[in-house]
Amino acid sequence: EADIYQTPRYLVIGTGKKITLECSQTMGHDKMYWYQQDPGMELHLIHYSYGVNSTEKGDLSSESTVSRIRTEHFPLTLESARPSHTSQYLCASSEPGLARNEQFFGPGTRLTVL
Amino acid sequence: ILNVEQSPQSLHVQEGDSTNFTCSFPSSNFYALHWYRWETAKSPEALFVMTLNGDEKKKGRISATLNTKEGYSYLYIKGSQPEDSATYLCASPPSGGTSYGKLTFGQGTILTVHP
């Protein structure tokens, strides 16, 4: 079983607040990813990282930012939350040599911005 | 950007029914096709990784086939049980090759199995 964790699992917050969604993995994977999913829609990649001090924007534009100071930790931050940020956020990790880009996922954070 | 499409979007079946759903993807520059199962309030978990045309994979009552020439994969569930209720996702690396480990996902098929 994969060891990748996300906190909080659910978050309801008011507009304008700064929030950080935590993601950590204990597998030592170099590659980590953040996805956003709106109801009924596909997972969209918003950020990824190849390793420490490496971060890239994904295919879907996002106002969030990420950092990768430690291999095991890949937090996502929204400086000023808005209702349009209401969504589910999934974190994943991967390692070269795993079967054809297989990724391991956390349980997700469901964010609601009022 | 690679287009991965799944159908149907949702499916309701009775316990004991067999069912199947489809994932389609561009057949050019194919690298791999992944199937994941995502149960409510849990992490998506990998079911199969398929790479070769004609591949068939099986895990218990769930099996999958792959046709890379025409760009589709089928997922079959034999004798559905309520615990099979989940969203089934397929995904493929974009633009062929490793693409730095990235995956492009379809929108999923939501399966509900009624007792």
Side-chain angles (χ1 to χ4, degrees):
Chain A
E1 188 172 314
D3 296 317
I4 181 163
Y5 308 98
Q6 291 186 243
T7 57
R9 295 289 308 277
Y10 303 92
L11 180 61
V12 181
I13 202 162
T15 296
K17 299 290 186 183
K18 177 180 179 178
I19 59 170
T20 296
L21 307 184
E22 300 288 348
C23 175
S24 59
Q25 49 98 2
T26 59
M27 297 170 284
H29 288 172
D30 284 328
K31 296 178 183 174
M32 296 189 73
Y33 311 85
W34 274 104
Y35 293 90
Q36 182 176 341
Q37 189 202 30
D38 295 324
M41 303 296 289
E42 55 266 43
L43 294 172
H44 283 291
L45 182 68
I46 52 174
H47 298 284
Y48 60 102
S49 167
Y50 303 142
V52 171
N53 294 326
S54 143
T55 60
E56 302 284 345
K57 294 281 191 183
D59 303 320
L60 181 69
S61 176
S62 173
E63 295 169 343
S64 59
T65 59
V66 292
S67 63
R68 190 88 183 276
I69 298 171
R70 303 197 316 265
T71 297
E72 61 271 22
H73 196 213
F74 191 39
L76 180 145
T77 298
L78 278 164
E79 289 293 332
S80 179
R82 294 207 297 270
S84 60
H85 297 141
T86 294
S87 191
Q88 177 153 236
Y89 294 85
L90 274 173
C91 181
S93 72
S94 182
E95 185 67 31
L98 286 177
R100 304 291 176 119
N101 298 15
E102 181 179 359
Q103 296 180 8
F104 294 94
F105 284 86
T109 294
R110 191 171 292 279
L111 173 66
T112 302
V113 184
L114 304 175
Chain B
I1 294 179
L2 185 76
N3 286 325
V4 178
E5 297 182 357
Q6 293 185 247
S7 62
Q9 188 171 358
S10 65
L11 197 53
H12 291 258
V13 301
Q14 290 297 127
E15 182 175 355
D17 288 349
S18 294
T19 188
N20 66 84
F21 26 92
T22 307
C23 173
S24 62
F25 51 87
S27 54
S28 60
N29 294 322
F30 175 80
Y31 183 65
L33 192 285
H34 297 250
W35 281 102
Y36 286 85
R37 175 171 59 198
W38 189 6
E39 295 178 68
T40 302
K42 294 187 178 179
S43 308
E45 63 166 324
L47 285 173
F48 305 114
V49 180
M50 309 182 79
T51 56
L52 298 175
N53 185 45
D55 248 358
E56 290 189 31
K57 301 264 185 175
K58 188 174 181 181
K59 183 183 287 190
R61 293 179 291 97
I62 304 176
S63 60
T65 61
L66 179 69
N67 184 322
T68 61
K69 294 185 190 302
E70 297 182 37
Y72 64 84
S73 175
Y74 291 140
L75 190 79
Y76 300 91
I77 302 178
K78 184 177 177 182
S80 303
Q81 300 297 307
E83 58 264 31
D84 296 328
S85 297
T87 298
Y88 290 83
L89 298 168
C90 70
S92 189
S95 305
T98 60
S99 301
Y100 305 106
K102 293 194 282 184
L103 290 173
T104 298
F105 284 84
Q107 73 271 46
T109 293
I110 302 170
L111 174 67
T112 304
V113 182
H114 299 278

